[in-house]
Amino acid sequence: MSDVVLINPNINIVDKEKDHYSVLDHLGLGLVAASLERSGISVEIIDGYALNLSKEVLIEKALRAKPSFVGITCNFIGFEDAIDIARNIASVDNNPFIFMGGEHCTYSADEILANYHFVDAIVRGEGEITSVELINNFNILSNVAGIYYRDQKSGKVFKNPDRKAIDNLDDIPFARRDTLDYCKTHKETSIIGMLTQRGCNLDCHFCNAHTFFRLGGGKFIRRRSPQNIADEIEILHEKYYRFNMIEKMYFYDANFIDGSRQSKQWAQELAHEIIKRNIIIPFEVYMRGDSVSPEHDQELIDILKKAGLSSVFIGIESFDQNDLNVFGKKIETDNMERTINFLIENDIFGLTQGLIMFNPYSTFQGLRRTADFLLKYNLASFWNMSQKLQLFPGVKLISKLSSEGLLDNKINSNEVYSYKFQSQSIEKMSNYLIAMNDNPIVINDNAIMRYVRGAVPELYKSVSDFPDIIKLLHPINLLINKKIKEINELNHSYFVNIISSYESGVPQDKIDKYKSEYLSSSDKSVRDLDNLYNDMLRTVDKSLSEKIINNKVAETI
Ligand code: SF4
């Protein structure tokens, strides 16, 4: 039995083998659980996504814990399931108090409480202190800052003032890592999340990072001390990484280095602390396209790499200046290219990057420009070229679109694509491409491409002590790179063809024919790529087996 159950619904059940599934823990729930526990409140985390649980299993587990409170988080994709879970849990006798939290629920709080009578409260913004106060002051919720709630007797909804941002992030206890404990028992590995800072000092028009963590005021950016972060990494290293249970860490900070002197100095101190304690775990960070520059930051990148920085995810969004202006990015494409080239030279430009190909103001010219840049940087995957702006509740762009008549009558805030385009042809094209993402061939091709690109460097790392094996892999690797380039070219040429087709009003049956041709070529190329990767795997297996046999023979002699 637990006082509180915290739930993260699954997005969809995956075949772990086939989908190259990596376990990924839910940092937000781990942080809230740690704060509740520190206040003497017992908590069970049921992370449906990390553990690949069905909705039914998840509900059964939650009810078995007989909690007094159930907290559910979700993003727009998991929203319907989250509501269904809440409905089921609320329907039992002596039903628990149900609250929801996280970014999506924060900005949809009015709507959720108005439409779903079984949800009792929404925790808005940072959840650590608010959740503890909610539970400890359950009978007088009017005193709890940071919640919207339904009065249990009258059913009336009240909106309490938002909570001021937590001043010192070092005061927050380290996140509970239930997923890693699960991995320990089940001999699996996990990718884990970390927050080393909160907030962002920019206000891009499609993003809530600059408001979510400080709804009730407070500093735009708060950073944990390098010592505090290193203390947490040290525990993770000692307890899990040493036993090969952590694949890597994602630093979820909105913008790991914001370009300021303080930010760079802080990052440098953090790197020194990690190196000094010898607690290196590979980590990936998010940055803007102008956060670092070749002129000023080589030393910083060198030390961060020594501390484990393995990859940088840039919020590129688009290579068209008009699009970037629509997004309020306050960045020039030239600066972005300089940063990207700098990261490539340092071998830390991530395989996946943030892209928003289509937005309500897209032009054919802008789409072509972005597609050409994607090809140049080997990022021309079908997935990237079909991505469409997701209009999250709370973002600035909503009022602009609304005032310009481009917003559909949004019924639910989780319908993030319910807007119109200025150009009807581009809208049709965007809908056509996004629907293709449900095609099994596209799903499979995207998964294999992503997997192979990530797995080859890992395979190289695993045999880094054997130069003879690396020599054997080299010719296969050249073929793999050639094939990846070919696939990018194929995707790009299909995309450019589709642009021209919609621009010149080519009939739909012809467009469908292009699709069939493209899918069959793409499928063949991706299967070739998969075969090449399997050749590589077989080469490694065979070489390692031979080494083991030779060693045994040598020992016997
Ligand atoms: S998109 Fe990036 S830079 Fe812009 S507000 Fe969001 S986190 Fe900050």
Side-chain angles (χ1 to χ4, degrees), residues 133 135 167 175 414 479:
E133 287 193 9
I135 285 157
D167 202 35
N414 57 320
L479 291 174

Side-chain angles (χ1 to χ4, degrees), residues 360 362 364 420-431 502:
S362 291
F364 287 115
K420 300 186 186 80
F421 283 64
Q422 274 188 330
S423 154
Q424 284 188 4
S425 311
I426 294 180
E427 182 164 348
K428 267 172 80 182
M429 172 182 172
S430 167
N431 291 341
Y502 276 93

Side-chain angles (χ1 to χ4, degrees), residues 318-337:
S318 170
F319 281 104
D320 177 58
Q321 195 60 51
N322 290 333
D323 288 350
L324 293 172
N325 296 344
V326 166
F327 299 146
K329 287 284 292 191
K330 300 189 185 87
I331 197 167
E332 308 283 320
T333 49
D334 289 354
N335 287 347
M336 198 149 67
E337 271 219 82

Side-chain angles (χ1 to χ4, degrees), residues 227-501:
Q227 291 70 25
N228 176 265
I229 302 164
D231 286 348
E232 183 174 9
I233 296 177
E234 192 162 357
I235 293 170
L236 293 169
H237 195 279
E238 183 61 23
K239 232 175 133 185
Y240 307 105
Y241 187 69
R242 246 168 18 101
F243 303 103
N244 297 322
M245 273 176 290
I246 298 177
E247 287 173 40
K248 60 184 164 187
M249 300 188 287
Y250 285 150
F251 284 9
Y252 289 137
D253 316 347
N255 189 13
F256 181 66
I257 295 171
D258 66 17
S260 69
R261 199 176 44 80
Q262 297 98 303
S263 163
K264 290 179 182 177
Q265 195 178 332
W266 166 87
Q268 199 148 26
E269 280 172 30
L270 173 60
H272 277 299
E273 196 65 31
I274 291 172
I275 294 165
K276 188 177 84 189
R277 298 193 201 188
N278 195 18
I279 47 169
I280 295 153
I281 302 177
F283 65 93
E284 298 190 12
V285 299
Y286 301 141
M287 276 189 211
R288 268 174 64 86
D290 57 359
S291 290
V292 287
S293 71
E295 292 80 17
H296 303 111
D297 299 313
Q298 188 59 60
E299 203 185 314
L300 175 62
I301 292 298
D302 288 344
I303 185 115
L304 282 168
K305 281 181 70 177
K306 272 195 198 135
L309 174 63
S310 59
S311 173
V312 178
F313 176 102
I314 299 276
I316 295 173
E317 329 310 353
S318 170
F319 281 104
D320 177 58
Q321 195 60 51
N322 290 333
D323 288 350
L324 293 172
N325 296 344
V326 166
F327 299 146
K329 287 284 292 191
K330 300 189 185 87
I331 197 167
E332 308 283 320
T333 49
D334 289 354
N335 287 347
M336 198 149 67
E337 271 219 82
R338 219 154 39 108
T339 299
I340 290 172
N341 289 329
F342 178 49
L343 297 176
I344 291 172
E345 279 157 25
N346 281 282
D347 201 20
I348 48 170
F349 186 56
L351 294 173
T352 50
Q353 300 292 338
L355 286 155
I356 308 174
M357 197 74 190
F358 291 92
N359 71 74
Y361 304 94
S362 291
T363 60
F364 287 115
Q365 196 191 7
L367 291 170
R368 273 197 194 91
R369 190 171 298 136
T370 298
D372 291 349
F373 273 99
L374 293 182
L375 180 63
K376 180 172 167 188
Y377 290 110
N378 239 354
L379 291 168
S381 64
F382 182 83
W383 173 263
N384 281 346
M385 290 198 287
S386 59
Q387 287 314 293
K388 191 174 166 184
L389 172 73
Q390 295 173 340
L391 204 57
F392 299 123
V395 300
K396 262 190 177 176
L397 255 178
I398 288 183
S399 49
K400 177 176 162 65
L401 293 179
S402 176
S403 68
E404 292 173 10
L406 292 174
L407 201 60
D408 289 354
N409 283 332
K410 288 188 78 179
I411 302 160
N412 293 315
S413 56
N414 57 320
E415 289 168 8
V416 294
Y417 298 124
S418 48
Y419 52 81
K420 300 186 186 80
F421 283 64
Q422 274 188 330
S423 154
Q424 284 188 4
S425 311
I426 294 180
E427 182 164 348
K428 267 172 80 182
M429 172 182 172
S430 167
N431 291 341
Y432 189 76
L433 291 174
I434 208 133
M436 274 175 72
N437 275 308
D438 292 332
N439 184 302
I441 296 177
V442 174
I443 293 173
N444 189 47
D445 289 1
N446 274 330
I448 292 177
M449 266 287 270
R450 248 198 320 261
Y451 178 69
V452 172
R453 292 189 70 184
V456 170
E458 292 302 316
L459 201 58
Y460 263 82
K461 237 187 271 166
S462 70
V463 292
S464 57
D465 291 339
F466 306 109
D468 52 332
I469 302 183
I470 290 187
K471 211 167 158 196
L472 291 175
L473 297 187
H474 191 60
I476 312 177
N477 193 33
L478 287 178
L479 291 174
I480 286 181
N481 286 337
K482 192 167 165 240
K483 192 49 78 183
I484 288 173
K485 194 160 177 282
E486 264 173 46
I487 295 170
N488 268 275
E489 282 163 0
L490 176 71
N491 294 337
H492 174 266
S493 93
Y494 172 65
F495 187 77
V496 170
N497 186 17
I498 287 290
I499 291 178
S500 305
S501 304

Side-chain angles (χ1 to χ4, degrees), residues 57-293:
V57 171
L58 204 149
I59 293 167
E60 197 214 311
K61 268 169 130 350
L63 291 176
R64 218 182 310 134
K66 295 194 185 319
S68 305
F69 298 85
V70 169
I72 306 175
T73 188
C74 64
N75 60 17
F76 76 97
I77 304 172
F79 181 74
E80 297 291 345
D81 275 350
I83 288 295
D84 213 27
I85 289 164
R87 185 184 290 113
N88 273 279
I89 291 174
S91 67
V92 298
D93 291 341
N94 298 321
N95 58 314
F97 181 95
I98 295 179
F99 63 100
M100 297 182 78
E103 185 175 325
H104 183 77
C105 297
T106 291
Y107 293 103
S108 318
D110 285 322
E111 186 184 306
I112 295 172
L113 289 171
N115 294 339
Y116 307 104
H117 64 91
F118 41 84
V119 178
D120 299 303
I122 306 290
V123 169
R124 302 184 76 241
E126 286 180 322
E128 290 90 352
I129 298 179
T130 309
S131 302
V132 173
E133 287 193 9
L134 169 84
I135 285 157
N136 286 339
N137 299 282
F138 173 56
N139 292 320
I140 33 168
L141 290 177
S142 55
N143 289 345
V144 180
I147 62 167
Y148 286 6
Y149 70 99
R150 190 188 314 284
D151 181 71
Q152 300 287 296
K153 286 196 190 110
S154 67
K156 207 172 152 212
V157 169
F158 290 90
K159 299 179 186 183
N160 289 356
D162 286 315
R163 181 175 294 276
K164 196 167 169 288
I166 298 168
D167 202 35
N168 183 359
L169 296 184
D170 287 4
D171 291 342
I172 300 174
F174 299 150
R176 238 171 67 173
R177 299 288 178 177
D178 294 28
T179 306
L180 282 174
D181 292 327
Y182 166 89
C183 288
K184 203 171 192 172
T185 324
H186 292 78
K187 303 212 176 331
E188 290 195 37
T189 58
S190 173
I191 298 172
I192 60 164
M194 287 275 281
L195 268 177
T196 64
Q197 56 194 309
R198 291 184 181 183
C200 179
N201 51 9
L202 284 125
D203 65 342
C204 303
H205 302 165
F206 62 99
C207 175
N208 283 319
H210 60 299
T211 58
F212 175 68
F213 282 121
R214 52 177 299 282
L215 290 170
K219 290 184 206 143
F220 277 98
I221 297 183
R222 291 155 292 149
R223 297 192 180 91
R224 293 167 62 186
S225 67
Q227 291 70 25
N228 176 265
I229 302 164
D231 286 348
E232 183 174 9
I233 296 177
E234 192 162 357
I235 293 170
L236 293 169
H237 195 279
E238 183 61 23
K239 232 175 133 185
Y240 307 105
Y241 187 69
R242 246 168 18 101
F243 303 103
N244 297 322
M245 273 176 290
I246 298 177
E247 287 173 40
K248 60 184 164 187
M249 300 188 287
Y250 285 150
F251 284 9
Y252 289 137
D253 316 347
N255 189 13
F256 181 66
I257 295 171
D258 66 17
S260 69
R261 199 176 44 80
Q262 297 98 303
S263 163
K264 290 179 182 177
Q265 195 178 332
W266 166 87
Q268 199 148 26
E269 280 172 30
L270 173 60
H272 277 299
E273 196 65 31
I274 291 172
I275 294 165
K276 188 177 84 189
R277 298 193 201 188
N278 195 18
I279 47 169
I280 295 153
I281 302 177
F283 65 93
E284 298 190 12
V285 299
Y286 301 141
M287 276 189 211
R288 268 174 64 86
D290 57 359
S291 290
V292 287
S293 71

